[in-house]
Amino acid sequence: MEDIELKDISITEFEKEVYSYYLQIFPEDERKPLELIQSSCEKKYTKIIEILYKSELVGFMLLNRVKDKGYAVLDYLAILPQYRNSKLGTKALQILLEQEKESKGIFIEIEKVGLGKDTEENLLREKRRNFYKKIDFKKLNFDLFLFDVIYTPYLFSNIKDNEDMIIDEILNIYEAISGKERIEQNCKILKKLRFEEISKNNIKIAARVQYEIFPNSSAYSVYKSKIVGERKDLYIGYIAYIGNIPVGVTGIYEIPEYSDTAWLSWFGIKKEYRKLGYGKQILDYTIEKAKNLNKKYLRLYTFEIWNSEAQSFYKRNMDLGEYYYNDKEHKEVFDGKPKIFSISLCSEKVRLWNNKFINISEDEDSHEKSILMMKKDGIID
């Protein structure tokens, strides 16, 4: 691969030699307007690089930087279709990293694995992630919500910086390229959540957050009965925080006669934090806790009509879904078309629940009791 070369080109050369490939390779929703690229090149924020092999064009990169020898953002890296699977991309990136060894490092964004529209897209994202990991790019401890897409950031770093400094410099690059107002409106930093088990010290916080998410199904009596020791069977609840801000809840319980299965309890995220990837973080955390309890399966019930917003999330993240009907339940619960979603936590394929009794009606019965208890304990007026 000694015949591979990186060549800086002008915006005029980009339009003439590369732009048609750029339109062909990247879907419309991933492309920057040509005018934005032109403006950024004129301000010397963007460097356009051709990848040549034996003097033939085989690919291209766009590299953004504001500060000399600061961090750079690798905006696009593409190998032309006829030259793929020949390690040209790997070699080109290695050459770039060597050329940039005096800079702070190179930052990339990869569309978050697991949030693609289907299995094929998630496999493509996973392949892209593995490509960068092999070249020693390291995952950072936050995600990016950028123009309605969630990205996982990776960094090849030549120095040791804290993440707040990295974030500040990357945001400066985004703002220089796209404009401060546009970035403020379309970019959010998504921090890793931290979790606390619900206890006597934080039960009021948990109750308020849970009630805000589920105003028709308060969990307070369940939380309290577990903490004071009245409830003997498995129940563990958790609060999810961004920093010190409580943003969601989750929990695990079991139906004793089916001890191989954990059930998801009052899992939710406050409205203003939805569609930012936090729900997936909470679910992944709960799945790990259920595995640690040596459960084979995790299941949940929801209502197709009353919880319609959650359906697409569960379809993406659980193995299967099925409608539920059991004549021991209160008949009115079936107005909401209850569904059970299930996922395997082990090597065994998850099986349908097949309408075995799960006592959905119990939540309905405990709601009014919980409301009275919250009023008594000063949680709500």
Side-chain angles (χ1 to χ4, degrees), residues 136-170:
D136 213 25
F137 278 76
K138 305 296 185 186
K139 182 182 178 298
L140 298 174
N141 293 313
F142 61 92
D143 286 331
L144 281 167
F145 186 66
L146 194 59
F147 295 96
D148 295 326
V149 178
I150 296 174
Y151 294 92
T152 300
Y154 284 77
L155 182 69
F156 187 97
S157 182
N158 296 316
I159 67 164
K160 204 158 191 175
D161 246 346
N162 68 60
E163 288 199 349
D164 288 336
M165 293 180 69
I166 296 168
I167 289 169
D168 285 345
E169 192 160 334
I170 299 308

Side-chain angles (χ1 to χ4, degrees), residues 172-183:
N172 285 339
I173 296 171
Y174 288 162
E175 289 172 3
I177 303 298
S178 299
K180 185 171 183 177
E181 184 178 350
R182 193 161 177 251
I183 292 302

Side-chain angles (χ1 to χ4, degrees), residues 12-183:
T12 303
E13 291 171 305
F14 173 75
E15 292 177 54
K16 182 179 177 181
E17 300 170 14
V18 176
Y19 188 60
S20 60
Y21 294 118
Y22 173 73
L23 295 177
Q24 174 189 338
I25 292 170
F26 293 99
E28 186 176 358
D29 61 350
E30 292 183 19
R31 294 182 221 137
K32 282 188 170 72
L34 180 59
E35 298 77 17
L36 197 62
I37 298 173
Q38 289 169 331
S39 171
S40 185
C41 286
E42 288 168 6
K43 294 172 183 174
K44 302 193 182 303
Y45 295 149
T46 296
K47 182 163 68 170
I48 304 172
I49 304 167
E50 286 186 338
I51 304 170
L52 305 176
Y53 179 61
K54 296 183 177 180
S55 302
E56 291 288 325
L57 177 68
V58 297
F60 59 91
M61 306 176 187
L62 270 68
L63 192 71
N64 299 325
R65 177 188 281 108
V66 174
K67 291 168 62 176
D68 184 42
K69 296 187 179 179
Y71 289 107
V73 174
L74 184 58
D75 216 355
Y76 297 97
L77 166 59
I79 299 298
L80 307 189
Q82 63 269 35
Y83 296 105
R84 289 175 188 162
N85 301 314
S86 56
K87 299 193 181 300
L88 290 170
T90 300
K91 184 60 180 175
L93 188 52
Q94 288 171 335
I95 293 172
L96 179 69
L97 294 173
E98 178 62 25
Q99 291 178 353
E100 293 287 329
K101 65 183 179 183
E102 297 300 319
S103 70
K104 286 187 175 182
I106 293 180
F107 177 91
I108 58 163
E109 315 121 357
I110 300 171
E111 289 180 311
K112 192 170 181 67
V113 175
L115 298 184
K117 64 183 177 183
D118 52 35
T119 302
E120 183 180 356
E121 184 176 323
N122 280 319
L123 287 173
L124 182 62
R125 293 181 182 193
E126 191 172 343
K127 183 178 179 182
R128 193 176 298 145
R129 177 193 66 189
N130 292 341
F131 168 77
Y132 287 103
K133 285 178 71 175
K134 283 180 183 176
I135 309 175
D136 213 25
F137 278 76
K138 305 296 185 186
K139 182 182 178 298
L140 298 174
N141 293 313
F142 61 92
D143 286 331
L144 281 167
F145 186 66
L146 194 59
F147 295 96
D148 295 326
V149 178
I150 296 174
Y151 294 92
T152 300
Y154 284 77
L155 182 69
F156 187 97
S157 182
N158 296 316
I159 67 164
K160 204 158 191 175
D161 246 346
N162 68 60
E163 288 199 349
D164 288 336
M165 293 180 69
I166 296 168
I167 289 169
D168 285 345
E169 192 160 334
I170 299 308
L171 288 178
N172 285 339
I173 296 171
Y174 288 162
E175 289 172 3
I177 303 298
S178 299
K180 185 171 183 177
E181 184 178 350
R182 193 161 177 251
I183 292 302

Side-chain angles (χ1 to χ4, degrees), residues 225-241:
S225 66
K226 184 62 180 178
I227 288 168
V228 301
E230 292 174 2
R231 181 167 182 155
K232 302 301 182 184
D233 56 327
L234 173 68
Y235 187 88
I236 311 172
Y238 301 94
I239 309 170
Y241 291 84

